[in-house]
Amino acid sequence: AGGGAGASPADSGNRVGGAGGGGAGGLIATNGVFLSSGAYAYTLKVGAGGAAGSDSVQSEGANGGDSVIRLIAADVYKAIGGGGGGIKSNGRDGGSGGGGSSGETMQEGGFGTEGQGCAGGSAGRSMMAAGAGGGGAGGDGGSPAGSGVGSNRIGGKGGDGRESDISGASVVYAGGGGGGSRTGVGGAGGSGGGGKGASNGEQGHPGADGLGGGGGGGSLNKAGGKGGSGVIVIRLQQAM
């Protein structure tokens, strides 16, 4: 599924904390599945990544789109889009949850979907702190680190993704986006396409397309990164 976007803090005059990174799109990896044949066709929909915000408008990160395999009117498989990062709020729920934003109160990470992803990280009570990382398919997002104010604030790392060889090569999918820092250093993106969180003066990095990575959280007057698009891979085995 598509990854969630990182949050966008906008103007420093709003006195907000660091921006949470976007959660990775939900990952469903299974084998030994029998596909129906006959008059009815499967339809496949690949989830888009959550759209990036604006440098000048404060906003939570947008959730990514669901990836769905349908037969007739029924969803056979549905991977849930990643949750957007929080700003003055908890991270959004999704396939993997978005990272929480530091602020006047403790902001929690969003919940992941059971069997598809993990929770976003939680951020502390500080108006100058960095945001938490979004969750990945293989691990929770990290909390921000550092002490005091200014350049010491480090965004939380995005949760790592999960490895699969369904395409014929070993690929890591669905990494979470790193938390952005208002005045310090952005958190690293999780393995599997998670975007790095913004350091002071830069935008959050986008999640990787085709991997469902979460976007990194933004910094002062700089938007969070967009989420990466998802992918559907079906590997057929010839009947003996």
Side-chain angles (χ1 to χ4, degrees):
S8 300
D11 193 330
S12 60
N14 289 330
R15 293 288 298 164
V16 296
L27 176 65
I28 299 175
T30 187
N31 53 33
V33 175
F34 292 94
L35 300 177
S36 300
S37 61
Y40 299 105
Y42 288 89
T43 58
L44 280 62
K45 175 188 175 185
V46 175
S54 166
D55 289 344
S56 60
V57 178
Q58 184 185 125
S59 63
E60 297 180 353
N63 281 21
D66 300 339
S67 290
V68 184
I69 299 177
R70 293 176 62 87
L71 179 61
I72 313 175
D75 294 342
V76 180
Y77 292 104
K78 183 176 184 178
I80 305 299
I87 187 69
K88 298 178 72 173
S89 64
N90 295 336
R92 291 182 167 179
D93 299 339
S96 286
S101 168
S102 57
E104 296 171 335
T105 59
M106 175 75 78
Q107 306 292 355
E108 303 291 340
F111 292 106
T113 300
E114 184 175 0
Q116 299 189 20
C118 299
S122 298
R125 294 181 60 187
S126 169
M127 299 304 287
M128 296 299 291
D140 293 346
S143 296
S147 59
V149 298
S151 61
N152 290 331
R153 290 299 187 178
I154 303 170
K157 180 185 178 299
D160 288 332
R162 284 172 49 199
E163 186 176 2
S164 173
D165 63 359
I166 191 171
S167 68
S170 181
V171 178
V172 180
Y173 297 92
S181 180
R182 292 185 68 197
T183 54
V185 179
S191 62
K196 178 183 177 296
S199 297
N200 183 25
E202 66 179 17
Q203 293 180 334
H205 294 220
D209 287 331
L211 298 178
S219 65
L220 291 180
N221 295 303
K222 298 294 182 181
K226 77 175 189 67
S229 62
V231 65
I232 296 175
V233 181
I234 298 174
R235 186 174 178 180
L236 300 178
Q237 181 177 2
Q238 185 175 359
M240 301 301 292

